[in-house]
Amino acid sequence: MSDKQTQLIEAAIDLFAKEGFWNTPTSKIAKHAGVATGTLFNYFESKNDLIDAVYLQLKHEWSTHIMTGITEDQAFKAVTEHMWFRFIDWGINNPVRYTLMMQLKISNLVSQEAQRRQEEEMAVGLALVQKGIADGIIGDVDPDYYGRVLIAQLEASVAYAMKHQLKDMALTKHITKGFDLFWDGVSK
């Protein structure tokens, strides 16, 4: 990715978070990035392509943060707990990026292709769930359903921690209790 492309994505993240997708014209994004308006279209064919790039950038940052530190020899529960803590950590420490990522997730603005590409990036998580089911560690449920339950509880945990401005030990206690609640519900 070129420096100008990165500048444009970062400018879009900043402005989309402050002003919303519909209230942010491409000319304003280009100006905020310090490039000519036409330059934006050298990198992105349309505003929708830029929105896809923003979504993929945020999801990549998020998934990289979550997966950092996982090793192949870790037990399923340890990997799940690691991902649980890292998900909430990223959300709490990147509130603007997290909120924008959540808004894009529920919007109809992200293309099917961008969603498919992001799902491919998280395929390792699906394989992990399938192995957990096959090994009898978690209940025999559809892996897609398991993933949706996991994400819903994680999003609720981040929202609660943000709303109540949890920090330090209170945050750690919240994350641990949330994981225990989740694990008790899915493990055999």
Side-chain angles (χ1 to χ4, degrees):
M1 187 179 311
S2 74
D3 288 344
K4 284 193 194 294
Q5 194 173 12
T6 300
Q7 286 172 249
L8 288 162
I9 289 170
E10 289 302 319
I13 289 170
D14 187 41
L15 292 172
F16 289 161
K18 289 178 184 171
E19 301 177 18
F21 311 110
W22 297 276
N23 297 328
T24 307
T26 55
S27 59
K28 192 168 190 174
I29 295 167
K31 183 177 181 181
H32 194 65
V35 301
T37 301
T39 302
L40 185 143
F41 295 105
N42 291 333
Y43 297 97
F44 306 100
E45 288 185 28
S46 67
K47 185 175 177 182
N48 289 340
D49 287 341
L50 177 58
I51 288 170
D52 280 354
V54 165
Y55 177 76
L56 290 170
Q57 176 64 33
L58 294 173
K59 284 290 197 168
H60 177 74
E61 291 173 16
W62 166 80
S63 64
T64 299
H65 185 81
I66 290 171
M67 301 307 283
T68 298
I70 294 175
T71 60
E72 289 184 26
D73 61 333
Q74 287 177 298
F76 180 80
K77 181 179 181 182
V79 170
T80 306
E81 187 171 23
H82 173 89
M83 292 171 69
W84 184 277
F85 272 79
R86 300 285 290 176
F87 182 111
I88 297 169
D89 177 70
W90 192 82
I92 296 298
N93 289 306
N94 300 282
V96 170
R97 294 173 105 74
Y98 176 81
T99 301
L100 182 59
M101 184 177 74
M102 291 297 105
Q103 289 171 350
L104 283 168
K105 177 184 167 188
I106 63 170
S107 78
N108 62 351
L109 299 172
V110 178
S111 72
Q112 292 293 321
E113 174 61 19
Q115 291 175 36
R116 185 195 61 72
R117 286 178 51 197
Q118 194 281 318
E119 287 171 6
E120 284 177 2
E121 187 172 339
M122 292 303 292
V124 67
L126 178 60
L128 181 68
V129 169
Q130 290 168 331
K131 183 168 177 8
I133 293 167
D135 292 348
I137 298 168
I138 59 176
D140 187 10
V141 297
D142 182 291
D144 180 56
Y145 178 71
Y146 175 91
R148 289 174 187 271
V149 169
L150 173 65
I151 294 297
Q153 285 194 288
L154 283 164
E155 290 173 1
S157 293
V158 173
Y160 183 90
M162 286 179 167
K163 179 180 179 182
H164 296 282
Q165 300 177 348
L166 299 179
K167 293 181 176 36
D168 305 322
M169 285 306 294
L171 178 59
T172 301
K173 188 175 180 180
H174 166 69
I175 294 170
T176 302
K177 283 186 172 189
F179 178 76
D180 291 344
L181 179 66
F182 171 76
W183 189 255
D184 289 347
V186 299
S187 63
K188 280 190 161 182

